[in-house]
Structure formats: C-alpha cells, structure tokens
Amino acid sequence: MKKKRFLSLLLAGLMMVTLAGCGSAASSGAQGETPAKPDAQGEASAETVQGEASGEQITIEMWYHISPDQATVLLGMIDEFQNEHPDIKVETQSVAFAEIKKQLSIGVAANQLPDVTLCDTVDNVSFAAMGAAVDITEEVEDWGELENYFEAPAQSAYYDGKYYGIPFYSNCLAIMYNKDIFDEMGLSYPTNDWTWDEFRELVAQTATDDHYGLTMSLIKSEEGTFNVLPFICQAGANWDSLDSDGAKEALAMINDFYQNGYMSKELISMTQADMCASLFATGRSAMMVAGSWLTTNIQNENPNLNYDVVLFPTNKDATSLIGGGNIMMMKDDHKEASWELMKFLSSKENSRAFCEDAGYISPREDSVAESTLWAENPILSVYTEQLAIAKPRGPHPNWPEISSAIQTAYQDVLSGTATVEEALTKAAAEIEEIK
C-alpha cells in the first residue's frame, strides 16, 4: 500500500469518528511578572522576550496520556515551568492512553491540535510522515543534549534525517521469574548470560500440573508484537526480515512452548496486565516476559511474591524492544515557547525526577548514571542494563500495518491455521508492500 493512499484512508476514516473521552482542560501555575529565565544557552528566547515586551502572555496547550498519579509529577513540573516563564501559560489536557493516537489523528484532519503532546514511541514517526509533527532538528542540534540519551529511545524520534520529538520516558521487556518455584524444584536461577538452549530447557522443566513454564502476551495487538518481536530480533532478524531463518526459529520456539502446554492457551487473548494478574502474580507461571511497570501490578496483586528479573536469553544477542513515550510538537504557532517547555521537561534533573516517581527508566543515560534507584534497585538495575541493548520498534511511518502483519502471523501459527513457514512468508510479503 502506498503511503499517500494509506494516509488518505486513515484521515478519511478518522473524520467519521466522534471526538470523545477527553478530560477537561486544566491550567496551572503562577502568573507573576518577573523576567523570563534564560534558556539552556543562556539567552531568553526571542518569542519570550517579545511576549514580555508587549505585555502579552503566550498560551500553549499540552496533551498527556499518563495515569493520574504520574500526571501529578508532570503537572508539578509544568507549574514550575510557568513560575520560571510567567509570559508562557500552559493549558493541559488528559487523554486516555488508548485514545490519544486516535484523538491526535482526528486533530490532524480537523486542524485542531495541541502545541505539544506526549505520544507512544511507535507513533512519533507516523505523525512525522503525515506532516503533522513539527521538525525540531535545528532546536535539538543546538540543544546538544541528545548525545546523552540511550540509542534506541533517540532513534524513535528520528525520521528521514530529522528529529520530530524528544524521548520522555522509557521501558523495555526482560524475563521475570518466580524464585519459590525454582527453589521448590531444585533449579538454579537463570543468569544474565543464559542462552536460548538453557531458556528452552527451563521453560520445559518448570511446566507442571501446578504451573506453566512461561507467560507472555500473545494477544492480537501491539502488546503481542511487543512480546513476540524481541525473540525474532534475538535470532538475528527483525520486522523487515520475517522470512529469514532467524525469524522462523524464533516463532517455532514460541509455538512449541504453546502447543506443548508450557504456556497457557489463554495467552492469545491476554494483555500484559491480564497475564500478570491471573498467571504470574498468582504463582501459576514460573517465568514471564514482562516490563518493569508490572512490578507495580505485582505489588498490588501479591506483594509477597518472591520473584526476580533477568536479561533475555541470548541467541545471536539478548536484545529487547523499547516502549515508552516521547514529547512531540504538533504546531509551530508558538514554536519557541513550545520548545522551551519541551527542553524544560526533558532536562537531566526533570527526566530523572519524573521517571523515578512514575516507575519508568529515564531515556537519558546521564540521568540514570546519577540515580541510585536505577543502579541499586535489584529489579530496575536489570531493566536499565536491558535498555542499553534494546532496539526501537520500527521506527516506520506505517508501523500499525507492519505490527498487524506480525500479529496475524503468530496468531495463525498458534491457532494451527498456518505453518511457521507459511505465516512468515505471507507477513514478509505484506510488509514489503507496506514499505
């Protein structure tokens, strides 16, 4: 499918959807008359100075999709930004995570967009390809801070030689395991240098009448792609080489686990939160493909669970895929003011403060290096190490279509409607057309 035709169909369809579900706008912050603070280069922005000279206050709007608890930290930072920039007023709007991409897409069609928004990492490039995200390459390069970021998060904001966002928070997947199950069975815990052969053996060994060997989301959604694709990448393949031997080896391994009963058959319809609640947190699974955010779920569902986390096992490598969110500029009406806000929220100190409180990993290596949390916490320290060798999903402007082809492939294999060879050959051909 050609890109222009895809984007036309997307926008036409979205125009038929009723705008719904957004929270009411909320603004906050002091409205004093002190001079604007200098930017990172030591000079107040031209727009800021102009706003002060005219006595006018610039208003910009920011959307976000994080939880209310996480938003408390974000809104506190925006209050601080407004105190330092009394000539800039920031209006904020909360949008549900499941809705924000749709609402932004509708906003593109209706020309009703926020100045700045949080977005899923996989969506940043899609909006850039639409022409909806603002090119901030010059600002990013003058800022000079992106060199302090982990490689994979930085790549998620880069498209066609330009930057269209800044990574704001990051996460990735690794393997959680139930220590009590391993102890009861007399098995040694997996270590960060384990191999696929050892992984296969432990999945089979820990699958009993009382518990499964492995849990991972195999649902037909982006969550499923997020869980399956790391194994394909570990085998030396990726989304653009699904008909390779490595991709076939990875999907065959997952299918063997599934067909042999080492994994629950219900996983084809389970989200990551669902599988954690019903299988891992209850002690019904020895291991789980999981992100660091699920530690919060476990704490709420079974705080006494005795578990730990380990890097993915190694085939060609032990890579993971990143999740998380970026800050993206959607309008350049007040580009200088919007950029000031983006820089402020993405500073080393604010990145650390937000991500530590919200349960994520900062995409900034320098923030991580100065934090005792990510270095000393036995769970988060492993995820931080995993993030350093992770890859982005894509990035590609047509990622939803690519992900859908991957989802169809693994679900067809698990349901028995196609062999591994048939499913991946078909998916590879579809993705070649999408590219």
Side-chain angles (χ1 to χ4, degrees):
M1 182 183 294
K2 299 298 183 183
K3 180 164 66 178
K4 291 183 178 178
R5 179 170 174 269
F6 165 68
L7 295 175
S8 298
L9 291 173
L10 172 64
L11 294 176
L14 288 167
M15 284 292 288
M16 300 173 65
V17 182
T18 302
L19 187 63
C22 294
S24 59
S27 62
S28 58
Q31 307 298 325
E33 298 180 359
T34 54
K37 295 289 184 181
D39 62 15
Q41 283 71 45
E43 298 178 358
S45 71
E47 187 173 21
T48 298
V49 172
Q50 183 179 4
E52 286 185 334
S54 65
E56 295 178 357
Q57 187 179 60
I58 296 165
T59 298
I60 59 176
E61 183 180 11
M62 179 174 178
W63 290 5
Y64 61 87
H65 58 256
I66 52 183
S67 72
D69 287 343
Q70 294 166 339
T72 299
V73 181
L74 175 65
L75 295 176
M77 291 178 177
I78 291 175
D79 280 346
E80 183 181 350
F81 173 80
Q82 291 178 122
N83 288 336
E84 295 187 12
H85 299 79
D87 56 318
I88 303 175
K89 177 182 178 182
V90 183
E91 294 184 342
T92 59
Q93 180 152 307
S94 173
V95 184
F97 178 79
E99 290 288 315
I100 194 163
K101 182 180 180 180
K102 180 174 72 175
Q103 303 301 354
L104 288 171
S105 298
I106 293 170
V108 172
N111 197 27
Q112 295 180 347
L113 290 165
D115 297 270
V116 177
T117 186
L118 296 187
C119 67
D120 194 298
T121 55
V122 295
D123 295 331
N124 201 161
V125 163
S126 296
F127 284 106
M130 281 186 200
V134 176
D135 175 5
I136 57 171
T137 306
E138 183 177 348
E139 287 77 11
V140 167
E141 291 178 348
D142 288 345
W143 185 41
E145 291 289 319
L146 215 61
E147 64 185 25
N148 296 314
Y149 283 67
F150 288 104
E151 181 179 355
Q155 286 179 2
S156 71
Y158 189 73
Y159 171 66
D160 200 23
K162 298 176 181 178
Y163 288 102
Y164 292 89
I166 305 175
F168 187 52
Y169 63 89
S170 293
N171 57 55
C172 62
L173 301 174
I175 303 289
M176 288 184 181
Y177 63 95
N178 186 314
K179 297 173 74 173
D180 286 342
I181 289 178
F182 277 78
D183 290 343
E184 291 166 5
M185 299 188 70
L187 298 172
S188 298
Y189 302 146
T191 58
N192 285 338
D193 60 351
W194 61 330
T195 65
W196 265 28
D197 287 340
E198 292 168 314
F199 175 59
R200 288 189 182 98
E201 185 177 354
L202 281 176
V203 171
Q205 284 181 306
T206 54
T208 70
D209 292 339
D210 297 323
H211 41 73
Y212 296 101
L214 180 67
T215 286
M216 60 186 290
S217 178
L218 299 169
I219 194 171
K220 196 176 189 300
S221 76
E222 184 62 30
E223 290 187 72
T225 301
F226 194 24
N227 276 238
V228 171
L229 193 53
F231 293 102
I232 291 174
C233 292
Q234 290 158 24
N238 209 326
W239 60 270
D240 54 355
S241 54
L242 291 181
D243 53 355
S244 65
D245 290 342
K248 293 170 188 175
E249 180 186 7
L251 187 52
M253 178 178 71
I254 293 169
N255 187 48
D256 286 345
F257 293 162
Y258 187 82
Q259 303 302 339
N260 288 328
Y262 303 159
M263 298 195 294
S264 169
K265 295 296 191 289
E266 297 175 358
L267 289 171
I268 59 170
S269 60
M270 280 189 174
T271 66
Q272 294 169 102
D274 291 339
M275 72 182 190
C276 181
S278 64
L279 293 169
F280 190 74
T282 58
R284 294 181 57 215
S285 180
M287 291 179 283
M288 176 174 68
V289 176
S292 58
W293 65 89
L294 289 177
T295 58
T296 301
N297 299 53
I298 294 170
Q299 179 62 32
N300 293 334
E301 292 150 5
N302 186 2
N304 295 319
L305 188 70
N306 186 20
Y307 73 101
D308 208 340
V309 65
V310 66
L311 298 180
F312 271 117
T314 298
N315 184 326
K316 296 289 190 299
D317 59 37
T319 193
S320 181
L321 297 179
I322 65 162
N326 294 355
I327 313 179
M328 177 170 60
M329 193 185 300
M330 301 294 283
K331 294 194 303 188
D332 60 3
D333 299 32
H334 303 298
K335 189 173 185 180
E336 290 86 355
S338 296
W339 176 242
E340 287 296 320
L341 176 62
M342 293 173 70
K343 280 195 306 181
F344 180 85
L345 295 175
S346 302
S347 72
K348 178 171 65 173
E349 295 75 20
N350 283 337
S351 177
R352 172 182 170 181
F354 174 80
C355 291
E356 282 188 341
D357 189 273
Y360 296 115
I361 301 170
S362 171
R364 296 187 59 128
E365 290 187 85
D366 53 357
S367 290
V368 169
E370 291 186 1
S371 170
T372 57
L373 174 65
W374 294 307
E376 297 177 3
N377 183 287
I379 300 293
L380 291 179
S381 62
V382 176
Y383 279 104
T384 301
E385 186 176 349
Q386 185 76 78
L387 181 65
I389 57 172
K391 295 179 180 179
R393 282 171 285 166
H396 194 282
N398 296 332
W399 182 255
E401 289 184 283
I402 292 169
S403 181
S404 180
I406 296 170
Q407 295 159 31
T408 298
Y410 66 70
Q411 284 237 326
D412 283 351
V413 170
L414 297 173
S415 65
T417 59
T419 66
V420 169
E421 176 89 25
E422 292 167 344
L424 290 179
T425 299
K426 178 184 175 184
E430 291 175 355
I431 290 173
E432 187 61 33
E433 287 294 314
I434 294 167
K435 290 164 55 183

